[in-house]
Amino acid sequence: MPNWAWGLCLVLLLTAITFAVNRYNKRAIAVAAFHNVIWGGAIALLGTGLIDYKEASVASWLTLSVGLVAFNVGAVLANFSSRSHRIDTGARADLSEGFSGRTEIVTRPMLAVLTAVYFAAFTIYLVLIEQRFGIATLFTDPVVIRGASDPTYLEGIPLPVRVLLYIGPFLIAIFGYKEAVRNPLPIWLRLSAVALIAVSMFALLQRTNLFVGLLLLAAVLVTKPHKKASGLAEPAAGVQARENLNSAKRKGKLRLGAGVALIGVVGFVAFQAIGGALGKEGGQALSTGAVSSTLERSGLTEPFIYYTGGVAAFLQLVDSTNYEWPPDEFEGAILVGDYNPQTWGARTFSPILKVIPGIQRWNEINPFIDTAVWTNVFTSLEPFYRDFRALGVAFGSTAVGFVIAWAYMRRFKSPRAFWLQAVLVSTLPFATFAFKLNDTLTLVCLFLVLVLTLTLSPRVRGYLQRTRVDDRTEPNEAN
């Protein structure tokens, strides 16, 4: 069957699976539905033929289907965790009584230290850029810094500094979410901090860091616990009180929707702006003749490739019979080839293996593959396929679906549980692009959650609970 027919079948399959998950695990339907919408949109766009991607075999489409179904199976299996069931039920009972759940992850002094550490690392980055390229080059010709001639420009930055730069995305979520700080900051300070951090990420000449920060903020806002309007939910409160409650709920949903939409707009504008500054506007794709005139005129070739190209690349990878490892050294800045060796764990655990000398691991920067256009991203299923082929896709995707759904279901247990699930959920939009759960940036965010929540000892947490009522009696700062 042609790509469009397979695409239609998979979209229908994902729709049916979403209804099935809703029946067997309503508490995780948000995770499954979001995953399925992300994948369904990419597959549907791939089937439009706006880019004439190469046709894929039945085996490759079936392998992709196994991965999509397996994620939903994992989400359903999370429902059989009796521990998560008790936690979720208890959390909902608390929420029904007006308890909104605790989501503070830092105090003001802790946030100040974290922000200072990030900007210290950013300052070191600027100093090194000045020594190597000249600081003015950031504004006049950023392609010289990050272009085909020097794709690994960050390799000259000491590893500890690069790791500390990953604090930036986490700071965007903390400053963007009022309840992340025990004594919330005024809105003008929060927005100023978010803007300043975003500008610093522009200077890093990378879109991923900013995207991760915005997606983490969106995940926090969408999955946060909601307070019940005091006194309005009593059965005897009357018709007017119930109408007021419903009105308050609608306004809350509208504000949330507007906030998430704004994050999406900012992310898209940033994507296009940084891509334009770096000359990444789909030039290679346009030169092949595979891009339709409609898509070319729209100016959206680059985001279209980012969204759909990984799916086409994964299909071509499964069809590849080139089982050679890519060379460690090669001429030119870009390596093109459908390298498809079985890596037996070296791909999935690459971030861990990099610190173990003498062990062969897969380079985290993939070779490009020709799908009618060049791309070097292969969806979130790629590591499992490279390591263990179709069985890896089945079991790996099931595990990912289970872990994210389980974490989401128990998100109201504690601040740590809430922020851990937010980090995991924020990786879902990358599903058609790359596997982000083993990405260094994601691991740093998870580590930050563990460290920051660990610093809030039981004594401090008890203090927070005792002073919560007192805080409500103090004059509120600007929202």
Side-chain angles (χ1 to χ4, degrees), residues 163-175:
V163 171
L164 293 177
L165 288 173
Y166 289 150
I167 297 175
F170 202 78
L171 286 174
I172 286 183
I174 292 178
F175 280 110

Side-chain angles (χ1 to χ4, degrees), residues 116-445:
V117 169
Y118 169 73
F119 279 105
F122 179 68
T123 300
I124 295 174
Y125 162 78
L126 291 180
V127 170
L128 294 175
I129 290 295
E130 164 64 24
Q131 294 175 350
R132 189 173 176 185
F133 302 99
I135 200 68
T137 310
L138 274 175
F139 308 98
T140 59
D141 195 5
V143 177
V144 172
I145 299 176
R146 190 190 179 193
S149 61
D150 191 11
T152 58
Y153 72 107
L154 284 180
E155 293 297 325
I157 310 298
L159 180 60
V161 176
R162 277 186 280 153
V163 171
L164 293 177
L165 288 173
Y166 289 150
I167 297 175
F170 202 78
L171 286 174
I172 286 183
I174 292 178
F175 280 110
Y177 177 50
K178 178 182 176 183
E179 287 78 14
V181 185
R182 178 192 167 266
N183 187 10
L185 299 169
I187 190 170
W188 66 266
L189 181 57
R190 291 165 42 219
L191 293 179
S192 299
V194 170
L196 185 60
I197 295 169
V199 169
S200 72
M201 290 181 179
F202 272 86
L204 292 176
L205 305 180
Q206 287 189 327
R207 293 181 274 203
T208 302
N209 286 22
L210 181 58
F211 259 60
V212 168
L214 293 175
L215 289 173
L216 179 55
L217 175 57
V220 166
L221 294 176
V222 170
T223 63
K224 69 177 182 178
H226 298 280
K227 293 182 181 180
K228 196 172 187 180
S230 178
L232 294 180
E234 298 296 331
V239 176
Q240 184 61 44
R242 287 195 295 271
E243 290 180 354
N244 290 341
L245 175 60
N246 291 333
S247 177
K249 288 181 177 179
R250 286 194 296 269
K251 289 180 180 179
K253 290 180 180 179
L254 287 175
R255 285 195 296 269
L256 176 61
V260 174
L262 179 61
I263 291 172
V265 171
V266 171
F268 179 77
V269 171
F271 180 92
Q272 293 291 76
I274 298 176
L278 296 177
K280 295 185 175 184
E281 299 173 330
Q284 187 278 330
L286 295 173
S287 67
T288 64
V291 180
S292 68
S293 58
T294 301
L295 181 58
E296 182 177 354
R297 287 194 301 269
S298 72
L300 300 176
T301 300
E302 185 74 0
F304 189 96
I305 293 174
Y306 267 80
Y307 188 30
T308 64
V311 180
F314 178 78
L315 295 172
Q316 292 300 314
L317 177 68
V318 175
D319 284 337
S320 171
T321 57
N322 177 12
Y323 303 122
E324 298 293 327
W325 279 72
D328 294 330
E329 298 180 1
F330 54 91
E331 295 182 2
I334 296 178
L335 176 64
V336 181
D338 58 343
Y339 298 96
N340 187 26
Q342 187 161 1
T343 48
W344 301 106
R347 175 64 183 94
T348 302
F349 302 104
S350 178
I352 299 175
L353 297 179
K354 71 167 59 174
V355 300
I356 304 177
I359 294 183
Q360 185 179 30
R361 68 180 185 89
W362 186 263
N363 193 324
E364 293 177 22
I365 301 178
N366 282 311
F368 284 78
I369 193 170
D370 185 7
T371 66
V373 300
W374 288 357
T375 182
N376 68 338
V377 294
F378 298 84
T379 80
S380 58
L381 303 177
E382 175 230 344
F384 307 130
Y385 177 78
R386 287 195 188 277
D387 285 343
F388 305 109
R389 301 314 192 197
L391 283 178
V393 170
F395 286 101
S397 193
T398 300
V400 171
F402 178 90
V403 168
I404 297 181
W406 181 80
Y408 173 80
M409 289 161 57
R410 69 195 301 269
R411 67 192 183 280
F412 297 136
K413 178 189 175 185
S414 66
R416 174 178 293 179
F418 173 75
W419 283 90
L420 286 176
Q421 68 84 30
V423 174
L424 297 178
V425 169
S426 69
T427 64
L428 288 176
F430 290 101
T432 65
F433 182 75
F435 185 61
K436 282 293 181 180
L437 286 183
N438 70 343
D439 186 79
T440 304
L441 177 50
T442 302
L443 296 178
V444 169
C445 288

